[in-house]
Amino acid sequence: MSHLKELFTVAARPLPPINNPTFGSFFDSLGKFKVVLLGDGSHGTSEFYAARAEITKRLIDHHGFTVVAVEADWPDAEIIDRYVRQRPGHKSHLGGPPSGYDPFSRFPTWMWRNHEMQELVEWMRSHNGALPDNQKVGFYGLDLYSMGASIQAVIKYLDHVDPAASQAARQRYSCLERWVDEPTAYGLAALSGMTDCEKGVVQMLCELLKNRLEYAQHAQDGEEYHSTEQNAHVVRDAESYYKSMYYSSASSWNLRDAHMLDTLHRIIQHKSSGGNAIKAVVWAHNSHCGDARYTSMGIKCKEVNIGQLCREQFGRENVALLGCGTHSGTVAAAHGWDEDMQRMIILPSRTDSWEYIAHKTGIPSFVLDLRQDCVDSELARALEKEPDRLERFIGVIYRPETERLSHYSSANLSNQFDAYVWFDSTQAVRPLEEHEPITGLGKEETYPFGL
């Protein structure tokens, strides 16, 4: 281990404080990629959010990135998108979630309703202020947990452009209405033969796609139709997701990350319609951003993730995968699903983990470039000999008492990521509120990591 630590120490590039104006410039080499995925080792660490925000600003300001896509639901993120691009509000008669819809209000609220994220959102709005619409940076959600809100958004749009189709949507989606507050119960009911809503939701999506040209004649439709189509995709994939949960955890995980990739692809296609070459930043957990083929997720559990899928879809030469890690400090997390956020002490990293190697360098924060053409050959060989070293994953649930079982997984770091960003000691993210609402979303969906 001491030899590997020495190689890490030599290769690591120390970083200035995150609030230093030069911080983002340490990541300028990412500017050449089409898609940059920025991972985090937990959903509740201030440094991970703040660092990703500064990297994102740099990629937008200096390298022409115009898409910020995050591990969040589409209707929630769209409210932020309307704000940062100054699109017509979601309370208008156009598309979007229903009036009064409060974004990111279900557990875990601190994941996106935090001061670090709020500062980035305000920066994006200011950046977009003087730009023409086709150059403004958009904010998009990649996840599929918004079945109820997405149904209402589709109906609201069709009320405006095609009332007859709106009535058909109400009829087809009515099969799911009783389950929107407890969607996991739908999966169980479908599995037991009590109901199956697949035909109606697929038919609804097909009719939206068929009528694309007709709907394009309506004002503001380029954005509103795109959002409505995406919400219809969410409903279709969520319906499949909640059924797949009862077959295997791998199949539901794979469906979710495939949905994220498909959503990202549709966003890029939509933004490219004006002839622009689109570049995107993706924010998600390390377990989503790092290539699953080089972790126990892929090797043992046969799971794929958006990092792997992006490499396969866009080509490895066009994609950069970054991970973030820490040794100790505090984290915003809950002990169990739907429980209030706690500022919890992170246990020091295990001696058989990648985090411990990074900690032993003695460097407070650094970035380690892992790309083959950038890594010293001796370090590359040493990294390849460590396919089973552990990596820590903390999601919205943290269970220190069972940390080895609940939060560690083996990973081949040099192939999992293209770069690794390190903060030896970190602090909990700063939430806008700390008491969690009671939601109907089942804890089984992201157990045990809460990712």
PDB file of all heavy atoms in Angstrom, residues 74-108:
ATOM      1  N   TRP A  74     -37.976  15.082 -13.813  1.00  0.00           N
ATOM      2  CA  TRP A  74     -38.171  16.046 -14.886  1.00  0.00           C
ATOM      3  C   TRP A  74     -39.068  17.217 -14.492  1.00  0.00           C
ATOM      4  O   TRP A  74     -38.686  18.376 -14.703  1.00  0.00           O
ATOM      5  CB  TRP A  74     -38.720  15.339 -16.130  1.00  0.00           C
ATOM      6  CG  TRP A  74     -38.905  16.279 -17.280  1.00  0.00           C
ATOM      7  CD1 TRP A  74     -39.999  17.044 -17.563  1.00  0.00           C
ATOM      8  CD2 TRP A  74     -37.940  16.590 -18.291  1.00  0.00           C
ATOM      9  NE1 TRP A  74     -39.787  17.813 -18.688  1.00  0.00           N
ATOM     10  CE2 TRP A  74     -38.532  17.545 -19.154  1.00  0.00           C
ATOM     11  CE3 TRP A  74     -36.645  16.148 -18.559  1.00  0.00           C
ATOM     12  CZ2 TRP A  74     -37.862  18.060 -20.263  1.00  0.00           C
ATOM     13  CZ3 TRP A  74     -35.977  16.657 -19.663  1.00  0.00           C
ATOM     14  CH2 TRP A  74     -36.583  17.608 -20.502  1.00  0.00           C
ATOM     15  N   PRO A  75     -40.257  17.023 -13.922  1.00  0.00           N
ATOM     16  CA  PRO A  75     -41.115  18.175 -13.617  1.00  0.00           C
ATOM     17  C   PRO A  75     -40.482  19.144 -12.619  1.00  0.00           C
ATOM     18  O   PRO A  75     -40.638  20.359 -12.748  1.00  0.00           O
ATOM     19  CB  PRO A  75     -42.383  17.527 -13.042  1.00  0.00           C
ATOM     20  CG  PRO A  75     -42.376  16.128 -13.549  1.00  0.00           C
ATOM     21  CD  PRO A  75     -40.931  15.751 -13.607  1.00  0.00           C
ATOM     22  N   ASP A  76     -39.751  18.603 -11.636  1.00  0.00           N
ATOM     23  CA  ASP A  76     -39.098  19.462 -10.651  1.00  0.00           C
ATOM     24  C   ASP A  76     -38.004  20.295 -11.312  1.00  0.00           C
ATOM     25  O   ASP A  76     -37.923  21.516 -11.120  1.00  0.00           O
ATOM     26  CB  ASP A  76     -38.498  18.612  -9.535  1.00  0.00           C
ATOM     27  CG  ASP A  76     -39.532  17.786  -8.811  1.00  0.00           C
ATOM     28  OD1 ASP A  76     -40.082  16.838  -9.425  1.00  0.00           O
ATOM     29  OD2 ASP A  76     -39.818  18.074  -7.651  1.00  0.00           O
ATOM     30  N   ALA A  77     -37.153  19.623 -12.088  1.00  0.00           N
ATOM     31  CA  ALA A  77     -36.063  20.331 -12.751  1.00  0.00           C
ATOM     32  C   ALA A  77     -36.590  21.336 -13.769  1.00  0.00           C
ATOM     33  O   ALA A  77     -35.968  22.381 -13.989  1.00  0.00           O
ATOM     34  CB  ALA A  77     -35.129  19.328 -13.427  1.00  0.00           C
ATOM     35  N   GLU A  78     -37.737  21.039 -14.365  1.00  0.00           N
ATOM     36  CA  GLU A  78     -38.262  21.964 -15.363  1.00  0.00           C
ATOM     37  C   GLU A  78     -38.650  23.306 -14.744  1.00  0.00           C
ATOM     38  O   GLU A  78     -38.519  24.356 -15.390  1.00  0.00           O
ATOM     39  CB  GLU A  78     -39.470  21.366 -16.095  1.00  0.00           C
ATOM     40  CG  GLU A  78     -39.853  22.233 -17.290  1.00  0.00           C
ATOM     41  CD  GLU A  78     -41.160  21.813 -17.935  1.00  0.00           C
ATOM     42  OE1 GLU A  78     -41.872  20.976 -17.368  1.00  0.00           O
ATOM     43  OE2 GLU A  78     -41.452  22.364 -19.008  1.00  0.00           O
ATOM     44  N   ILE A  79     -39.117  23.304 -13.521  1.00  0.00           N
ATOM     45  CA  ILE A  79     -39.422  24.565 -12.858  1.00  0.00           C
ATOM     46  C   ILE A  79     -38.159  25.403 -12.725  1.00  0.00           C
ATOM     47  O   ILE A  79     -38.168  26.625 -12.947  1.00  0.00           O
ATOM     48  CB  ILE A  79     -40.073  24.303 -11.488  1.00  0.00           C
ATOM     49  CG1 ILE A  79     -41.457  23.674 -11.685  1.00  0.00           C
ATOM     50  CG2 ILE A  79     -40.186  25.597 -10.679  1.00  0.00           C
ATOM     51  CD1 ILE A  79     -42.147  23.273 -10.411  1.00  0.00           C
ATOM     52  N   ILE A  80     -37.041  24.744 -12.397  1.00  0.00           N
ATOM     53  CA  ILE A  80     -35.758  25.459 -12.337  1.00  0.00           C
ATOM     54  C   ILE A  80     -35.340  25.917 -13.722  1.00  0.00           C
ATOM     55  O   ILE A  80     -34.840  27.033 -13.897  1.00  0.00           O
ATOM     56  CB  ILE A  80     -34.677  24.557 -11.721  1.00  0.00           C
ATOM     57  CG1 ILE A  80     -35.134  24.009 -10.363  1.00  0.00           C
ATOM     58  CG2 ILE A  80     -33.362  25.307 -11.589  1.00  0.00           C
ATOM     59  CD1 ILE A  80     -35.491  25.066  -9.350  1.00  0.00           C
ATOM     60  N   ASP A  81     -35.569  25.078 -14.726  1.00  0.00           N
ATOM     61  CA  ASP A  81     -35.214  25.449 -16.100  1.00  0.00           C
ATOM     62  C   ASP A  81     -35.985  26.692 -16.546  1.00  0.00           C
ATOM     63  O   ASP A  81     -35.420  27.592 -17.186  1.00  0.00           O
ATOM     64  CB  ASP A  81     -35.496  24.283 -17.043  1.00  0.00           C
ATOM     65  CG  ASP A  81     -35.088  24.583 -18.483  1.00  0.00           C
ATOM     66  OD1 ASP A  81     -33.886  24.834 -18.703  1.00  0.00           O
ATOM     67  OD2 ASP A  81     -35.967  24.601 -19.359  1.00  0.00           O
ATOM     68  N   ARG A  82     -37.271  26.749 -16.228  1.00  0.00           N
ATOM     69  CA  ARG A  82     -38.057  27.934 -16.582  1.00  0.00           C
ATOM     70  C   ARG A  82     -37.485  29.178 -15.900  1.00  0.00           C
ATOM     71  O   ARG A  82     -37.485  30.267 -16.481  1.00  0.00           O
ATOM     72  CB  ARG A  82     -39.522  27.732 -16.194  1.00  0.00           C
ATOM     73  CG  ARG A  82     -40.248  26.693 -17.034  1.00  0.00           C
ATOM     74  CD  ARG A  82     -41.696  26.515 -16.581  1.00  0.00           C
ATOM     75  NE  ARG A  82     -42.330  25.417 -17.279  1.00  0.00           N
ATOM     76  CZ  ARG A  82     -42.886  25.501 -18.493  1.00  0.00           C
ATOM     77  NH1 ARG A  82     -42.885  26.650 -19.140  1.00  0.00           N
ATOM     78  NH2 ARG A  82     -43.442  24.441 -19.062  1.00  0.00           N
ATOM     79  N   TYR A  83     -36.987  29.012 -14.698  1.00  0.00           N
ATOM     80  CA  TYR A  83     -36.428  30.145 -13.965  1.00  0.00           C
ATOM     81  C   TYR A  83     -35.097  30.589 -14.568  1.00  0.00           C
ATOM     82  O   TYR A  83     -34.898  31.781 -14.828  1.00  0.00           O
ATOM     83  CB  TYR A  83     -36.241  29.756 -12.503  1.00  0.00           C
ATOM     84  CG  TYR A  83     -35.633  30.840 -11.653  1.00  0.00           C
ATOM     85  CD1 TYR A  83     -36.377  31.955 -11.264  1.00  0.00           C
ATOM     86  CD2 TYR A  83     -34.306  30.752 -11.219  1.00  0.00           C
ATOM     87  CE1 TYR A  83     -35.819  32.955 -10.477  1.00  0.00           C
ATOM     88  CE2 TYR A  83     -33.742  31.736 -10.422  1.00  0.00           C
ATOM     89  CZ  TYR A  83     -34.501  32.838 -10.065  1.00  0.00           C
ATOM     90  OH  TYR A  83     -33.937  33.823  -9.288  1.00  0.00           O
ATOM     91  N   VAL A  84     -34.191  29.650 -14.828  1.00  0.00           N
ATOM     92  CA  VAL A  84     -32.863  30.056 -15.295  1.00  0.00           C
ATOM     93  C   VAL A  84     -32.877  30.522 -16.749  1.00  0.00           C
ATOM     94  O   VAL A  84     -32.046  31.342 -17.148  1.00  0.00           O
ATOM     95  CB  VAL A  84     -31.817  28.935 -15.109  1.00  0.00           C
ATOM     96  CG1 VAL A  84     -31.684  28.569 -13.645  1.00  0.00           C
ATOM     97  CG2 VAL A  84     -32.118  27.708 -15.951  1.00  0.00           C
ATOM     98  N   ARG A  85     -33.815  30.016 -17.532  1.00  0.00           N
ATOM     99  CA  ARG A  85     -33.908  30.474 -18.935  1.00  0.00           C
ATOM    100  C   ARG A  85     -35.000  31.512 -19.131  1.00  0.00           C
ATOM    101  O   ARG A  85     -35.239  31.959 -20.258  1.00  0.00           O
ATOM    102  CB  ARG A  85     -34.150  29.277 -19.858  1.00  0.00           C
ATOM    103  CG  ARG A  85     -32.926  28.384 -20.028  1.00  0.00           C
ATOM    104  CD  ARG A  85     -33.016  27.560 -21.284  1.00  0.00           C
ATOM    105  NE  ARG A  85     -33.931  26.440 -21.155  1.00  0.00           N
ATOM    106  CZ  ARG A  85     -34.555  25.856 -22.174  1.00  0.00           C
ATOM    107  NH1 ARG A  85     -34.395  26.325 -23.408  1.00  0.00           N
ATOM    108  NH2 ARG A  85     -35.357  24.823 -21.973  1.00  0.00           N
ATOM    109  N   GLN A  86     -35.698  31.857 -18.045  1.00  0.00           N
ATOM    110  CA  GLN A  86     -36.768  32.850 -18.072  1.00  0.00           C
ATOM    111  C   GLN A  86     -37.826  32.500 -19.117  1.00  0.00           C
ATOM    112  O   GLN A  86     -38.308  33.338 -19.878  1.00  0.00           O
ATOM    113  CB  GLN A  86     -36.186  34.251 -18.317  1.00  0.00           C
ATOM    114  CG  GLN A  86     -35.196  34.656 -17.223  1.00  0.00           C
ATOM    115  CD  GLN A  86     -34.604  36.033 -17.422  1.00  0.00           C
ATOM    116  OE1 GLN A  86     -35.347  36.987 -17.618  1.00  0.00           O
ATOM    117  NE2 GLN A  86     -33.283  36.127 -17.346  1.00  0.00           N
ATOM    118  N   ARG A  87     -38.184  31.214 -19.120  1.00  0.00           N
ATOM    119  CA  ARG A  87     -39.295  30.730 -19.934  1.00  0.00           C
ATOM    120  C   ARG A  87     -40.599  31.070 -19.219  1.00  0.00           C
ATOM    121  O   ARG A  87     -40.602  31.361 -18.025  1.00  0.00           O
ATOM    122  CB  ARG A  87     -39.192  29.216 -20.113  1.00  0.00           C
ATOM    123  CG  ARG A  87     -38.012  28.724 -20.923  1.00  0.00           C
ATOM    124  CD  ARG A  87     -37.879  27.214 -20.797  1.00  0.00           C
ATOM    125  NE  ARG A  87     -39.142  26.532 -21.115  1.00  0.00           N
ATOM    126  CZ  ARG A  87     -39.425  25.296 -20.711  1.00  0.00           C
ATOM    127  NH1 ARG A  87     -38.576  24.622 -19.941  1.00  0.00           N
ATOM    128  NH2 ARG A  87     -40.570  24.738 -21.045  1.00  0.00           N
ATOM    129  N   PRO A  88     -41.733  31.037 -19.934  1.00  0.00           N
ATOM    130  CA  PRO A  88     -43.027  31.255 -19.268  1.00  0.00           C
ATOM    131  C   PRO A  88     -43.183  30.336 -18.080  1.00  0.00           C
ATOM    132  O   PRO A  88     -42.795  29.167 -18.126  1.00  0.00           O
ATOM    133  CB  PRO A  88     -44.050  30.941 -20.372  1.00  0.00           C
ATOM    134  CG  PRO A  88     -43.321  31.222 -21.639  1.00  0.00           C
ATOM    135  CD  PRO A  88     -41.888  30.820 -21.392  1.00  0.00           C
ATOM    136  N   GLY A  89     -43.741  30.829 -16.989  1.00  0.00           N
ATOM    137  CA  GLY A  89     -43.820  30.093 -15.739  1.00  0.00           C
ATOM    138  C   GLY A  89     -44.693  28.870 -15.812  1.00  0.00           C
ATOM    139  O   GLY A  89     -45.592  28.767 -16.663  1.00  0.00           O
ATOM    140  N   HIS A  90     -44.477  27.931 -14.878  1.00  0.00           N
ATOM    141  CA  HIS A  90     -45.232  26.675 -14.896  1.00  0.00           C
ATOM    142  C   HIS A  90     -46.689  26.879 -14.503  1.00  0.00           C
ATOM    143  O   HIS A  90     -47.498  25.976 -14.655  1.00  0.00           O
ATOM    144  CB  HIS A  90     -44.581  25.656 -13.973  1.00  0.00           C
ATOM    145  CG  HIS A  90     -44.737  25.929 -12.513  1.00  0.00           C
ATOM    146  ND1 HIS A  90     -43.993  26.863 -11.843  1.00  0.00           N
ATOM    147  CD2 HIS A  90     -45.573  25.391 -11.594  1.00  0.00           C
ATOM    148  CE1 HIS A  90     -44.343  26.882 -10.576  1.00  0.00           C
ATOM    149  NE2 HIS A  90     -45.307  26.009 -10.393  1.00  0.00           N
ATOM    150  N   LYS A  91     -47.040  28.075 -14.016  1.00  0.00           N
ATOM    151  CA  LYS A  91     -48.444  28.335 -13.688  1.00  0.00           C
ATOM    152  C   LYS A  91     -49.227  28.846 -14.898  1.00  0.00           C
ATOM    153  O   LYS A  91     -50.409  29.120 -14.808  1.00  0.00           O
ATOM    154  CB  LYS A  91     -48.520  29.352 -12.548  1.00  0.00           C
ATOM    155  CG  LYS A  91     -47.945  28.833 -11.243  1.00  0.00           C
ATOM    156  CD  LYS A  91     -48.072  29.853 -10.133  1.00  0.00           C
ATOM    157  CE  LYS A  91     -47.477  29.306  -8.833  1.00  0.00           C
ATOM    158  NZ  LYS A  91     -47.586  30.281  -7.729  1.00  0.00           N
ATOM    159  N   SER A  92     -48.540  28.980 -16.038  1.00  0.00           N
ATOM    160  CA  SER A  92     -49.220  29.453 -17.244  1.00  0.00           C
ATOM    161  C   SER A  92     -50.087  28.339 -17.814  1.00  0.00           C
ATOM    162  O   SER A  92     -50.107  27.217 -17.337  1.00  0.00           O
ATOM    163  CB  SER A  92     -48.184  29.888 -18.285  1.00  0.00           C
ATOM    164  OG  SER A  92     -47.514  28.753 -18.817  1.00  0.00           O
ATOM    165  N   HIS A  93     -50.790  28.654 -18.899  1.00  0.00           N
ATOM    166  CA  HIS A  93     -51.672  27.666 -19.522  1.00  0.00           C
ATOM    167  C   HIS A  93     -50.910  26.726 -20.431  1.00  0.00           C
ATOM    168  O   HIS A  93     -51.499  25.834 -21.038  1.00  0.00           O
ATOM    169  CB  HIS A  93     -52.745  28.394 -20.354  1.00  0.00           C
ATOM    170  CG  HIS A  93     -52.170  29.165 -21.510  1.00  0.00           C
ATOM    171  ND1 HIS A  93     -51.618  30.409 -21.350  1.00  0.00           N
ATOM    172  CD2 HIS A  93     -52.046  28.856 -22.824  1.00  0.00           C
ATOM    173  CE1 HIS A  93     -51.186  30.846 -22.545  1.00  0.00           C
ATOM    174  NE2 HIS A  93     -51.428  29.925 -23.435  1.00  0.00           N
ATOM    175  N   LEU A  94     -49.603  26.913 -20.550  1.00  0.00           N
ATOM    176  CA  LEU A  94     -48.821  26.088 -21.461  1.00  0.00           C
ATOM    177  C   LEU A  94     -48.564  24.716 -20.846  1.00  0.00           C
ATOM    178  O   LEU A  94     -49.474  24.055 -20.394  1.00  0.00           O
ATOM    179  CB  LEU A  94     -47.528  26.817 -21.816  1.00  0.00           C
ATOM    180  CG  LEU A  94     -47.732  28.155 -22.550  1.00  0.00           C
ATOM    181  CD1 LEU A  94     -46.428  28.914 -22.639  1.00  0.00           C
ATOM    182  CD2 LEU A  94     -48.319  27.932 -23.932  1.00  0.00           C
ATOM    183  N   GLY A  95     -47.320  24.265 -20.851  1.00  0.00           N
ATOM    184  CA  GLY A  95     -47.029  22.944 -20.314  1.00  0.00           C
ATOM    185  C   GLY A  95     -46.512  23.016 -18.898  1.00  0.00           C
ATOM    186  O   GLY A  95     -46.714  23.981 -18.179  1.00  0.00           O
ATOM    187  N   GLY A  96     -45.815  21.964 -18.493  1.00  0.00           N
ATOM    188  CA  GLY A  96     -45.203  21.942 -17.185  1.00  0.00           C
ATOM    189  C   GLY A  96     -46.095  21.346 -16.113  1.00  0.00           C
ATOM    190  O   GLY A  96     -47.236  20.973 -16.354  1.00  0.00           O
ATOM    191  N   PRO A  97     -45.566  21.265 -14.889  1.00  0.00           N
ATOM    192  CA  PRO A  97     -46.319  20.680 -13.779  1.00  0.00           C
ATOM    193  C   PRO A  97     -47.550  21.499 -13.437  1.00  0.00           C
ATOM    194  O   PRO A  97     -47.671  22.659 -13.849  1.00  0.00           O
ATOM    195  CB  PRO A  97     -45.304  20.709 -12.617  1.00  0.00           C
ATOM    196  CG  PRO A  97     -43.976  20.910 -13.263  1.00  0.00           C
ATOM    197  CD  PRO A  97     -44.222  21.678 -14.508  1.00  0.00           C
ATOM    198  N   PRO A  98     -48.479  20.937 -12.673  1.00  0.00           N
ATOM    199  CA  PRO A  98     -49.689  21.677 -12.297  1.00  0.00           C
ATOM    200  C   PRO A  98     -49.375  22.874 -11.413  1.00  0.00           C
ATOM    201  O   PRO A  98     -48.336  22.921 -10.748  1.00  0.00           O
ATOM    202  CB  PRO A  98     -50.512  20.635 -11.532  1.00  0.00           C
ATOM    203  CG  PRO A  98     -49.514  19.610 -11.076  1.00  0.00           C
ATOM    204  CD  PRO A  98     -48.460  19.573 -12.130  1.00  0.00           C
ATOM    205  N   SER A  99     -50.257  23.849 -11.393  1.00  0.00           N
ATOM    206  CA  SER A  99     -50.081  25.030 -10.557  1.00  0.00           C
ATOM    207  C   SER A  99     -49.938  24.617  -9.101  1.00  0.00           C
ATOM    208  O   SER A  99     -50.624  23.715  -8.623  1.00  0.00           O
ATOM    209  CB  SER A  99     -51.271  25.973 -10.721  1.00  0.00           C
ATOM    210  OG  SER A  99     -51.374  26.425 -12.057  1.00  0.00           O
ATOM    211  N   GLY A 100     -49.053  25.309  -8.403  1.00  0.00           N
ATOM    212  CA  GLY A 100     -48.833  24.999  -6.998  1.00  0.00           C
ATOM    213  C   GLY A 100     -47.853  23.872  -6.753  1.00  0.00           C
ATOM    214  O   GLY A 100     -47.567  23.535  -5.602  1.00  0.00           O
ATOM    215  N   TYR A 101     -47.319  23.272  -7.807  1.00  0.00           N
ATOM    216  CA  TYR A 101     -46.364  22.175  -7.653  1.00  0.00           C
ATOM    217  C   TYR A 101     -45.063  22.719  -7.075  1.00  0.00           C
ATOM    218  O   TYR A 101     -44.471  23.657  -7.594  1.00  0.00           O
ATOM    219  CB  TYR A 101     -46.114  21.514  -9.006  1.00  0.00           C
ATOM    220  CG  TYR A 101     -45.249  20.277  -8.942  1.00  0.00           C
ATOM    221  CD1 TYR A 101     -45.792  19.057  -8.541  1.00  0.00           C
ATOM    222  CD2 TYR A 101     -43.904  20.325  -9.292  1.00  0.00           C
ATOM    223  CE1 TYR A 101     -45.012  17.911  -8.497  1.00  0.00           C
ATOM    224  CE2 TYR A 101     -43.114  19.183  -9.240  1.00  0.00           C
ATOM    225  CZ  TYR A 101     -43.669  17.978  -8.845  1.00  0.00           C
ATOM    226  OH  TYR A 101     -42.895  16.844  -8.795  1.00  0.00           O
ATOM    227  N   ASP A 102     -44.618  22.132  -5.977  1.00  0.00           N
ATOM    228  CA  ASP A 102     -43.434  22.611  -5.262  1.00  0.00           C
ATOM    229  C   ASP A 102     -42.259  21.703  -5.609  1.00  0.00           C
ATOM    230  O   ASP A 102     -42.259  20.520  -5.250  1.00  0.00           O
ATOM    231  CB  ASP A 102     -43.707  22.592  -3.754  1.00  0.00           C
ATOM    232  CG  ASP A 102     -42.653  23.324  -2.962  1.00  0.00           C
ATOM    233  OD1 ASP A 102     -41.898  24.114  -3.559  1.00  0.00           O
ATOM    234  OD2 ASP A 102     -42.583  23.115  -1.742  1.00  0.00           O
ATOM    235  N   PRO A 103     -41.235  22.210  -6.310  1.00  0.00           N
ATOM    236  CA  PRO A 103     -40.164  21.329  -6.782  1.00  0.00           C
ATOM    237  C   PRO A 103     -39.312  20.780  -5.644  1.00  0.00           C
ATOM    238  O   PRO A 103     -39.072  21.445  -4.639  1.00  0.00           O
ATOM    239  CB  PRO A 103     -39.338  22.238  -7.691  1.00  0.00           C
ATOM    240  CG  PRO A 103     -39.568  23.619  -7.182  1.00  0.00           C
ATOM    241  CD  PRO A 103     -41.008  23.608  -6.712  1.00  0.00           C
ATOM    242  N   PHE A 104     -38.859  19.542  -5.812  1.00  0.00           N
ATOM    243  CA  PHE A 104     -37.955  18.873  -4.887  1.00  0.00           C
ATOM    244  C   PHE A 104     -38.500  18.867  -3.455  1.00  0.00           C
ATOM    245  O   PHE A 104     -37.759  19.057  -2.495  1.00  0.00           O
ATOM    246  CB  PHE A 104     -36.562  19.533  -4.919  1.00  0.00           C
ATOM    247  CG  PHE A 104     -36.002  19.674  -6.305  1.00  0.00           C
ATOM    248  CD1 PHE A 104     -35.673  20.910  -6.821  1.00  0.00           C
ATOM    249  CD2 PHE A 104     -35.808  18.559  -7.106  1.00  0.00           C
ATOM    250  CE1 PHE A 104     -35.157  21.045  -8.096  1.00  0.00           C
ATOM    251  CE2 PHE A 104     -35.281  18.678  -8.391  1.00  0.00           C
ATOM    252  CZ  PHE A 104     -34.957  19.927  -8.886  1.00  0.00           C
ATOM    253  N   SER A 105     -39.784  18.662  -3.313  1.00  0.00           N
ATOM    254  CA  SER A 105     -40.405  18.722  -1.994  1.00  0.00           C
ATOM    255  C   SER A 105     -40.607  17.349  -1.370  1.00  0.00           C
ATOM    256  O   SER A 105     -41.074  17.251  -0.237  1.00  0.00           O
ATOM    257  CB  SER A 105     -41.755  19.442  -2.074  1.00  0.00           C
ATOM    258  OG  SER A 105     -42.630  18.781  -2.964  1.00  0.00           O
ATOM    259  N   ARG A 106     -40.277  16.283  -2.081  1.00  0.00           N
ATOM    260  CA  ARG A 106     -40.373  14.965  -1.464  1.00  0.00           C
ATOM    261  C   ARG A 106     -38.992  14.555  -0.954  1.00  0.00           C
ATOM    262  O   ARG A 106     -37.971  15.079  -1.358  1.00  0.00           O
ATOM    263  CB  ARG A 106     -40.921  13.924  -2.448  1.00  0.00           C
ATOM    264  CG  ARG A 106     -39.979  13.553  -3.592  1.00  0.00           C
ATOM    265  CD  ARG A 106     -40.442  12.270  -4.287  1.00  0.00           C
ATOM    266  NE  ARG A 106     -39.635  11.925  -5.442  1.00  0.00           N
ATOM    267  CZ  ARG A 106     -38.466  11.290  -5.375  1.00  0.00           C
ATOM    268  NH1 ARG A 106     -37.958  10.964  -4.208  1.00  0.00           N
ATOM    269  NH2 ARG A 106     -37.798  10.998  -6.475  1.00  0.00           N
ATOM    270  N   PHE A 107     -38.984  13.603  -0.053  1.00  0.00           N
ATOM    271  CA  PHE A 107     -37.741  13.064   0.489  1.00  0.00           C
ATOM    272  C   PHE A 107     -36.832  12.589  -0.645  1.00  0.00           C
ATOM    273  O   PHE A 107     -37.307  11.936  -1.579  1.00  0.00           O
ATOM    274  CB  PHE A 107     -38.067  11.897   1.424  1.00  0.00           C
ATOM    275  CG  PHE A 107     -36.880  11.236   2.046  1.00  0.00           C
ATOM    276  CD1 PHE A 107     -36.374  11.672   3.258  1.00  0.00           C
ATOM    277  CD2 PHE A 107     -36.255  10.174   1.413  1.00  0.00           C
ATOM    278  CE1 PHE A 107     -35.271  11.047   3.834  1.00  0.00           C
ATOM    279  CE2 PHE A 107     -35.150   9.553   1.974  1.00  0.00           C
ATOM    280  CZ  PHE A 107     -34.659   9.989   3.193  1.00  0.00           C
ATOM    281  N   PRO A 108     -35.550  12.920  -0.632  1.00  0.00           N
ATOM    282  CA  PRO A 108     -34.781  13.720   0.327  1.00  0.00           C
ATOM    283  C   PRO A 108     -34.680  15.175  -0.149  1.00  0.00           C
ATOM    284  O   PRO A 108     -33.996  15.468  -1.130  1.00  0.00           O
ATOM    285  CB  PRO A 108     -33.410  13.056   0.294  1.00  0.00           C
ATOM    286  CG  PRO A 108     -33.290  12.561  -1.131  1.00  0.00           C
ATOM    287  CD  PRO A 108     -34.679  12.238  -1.620  1.00  0.00           C
TER     288      PRO A 108
END
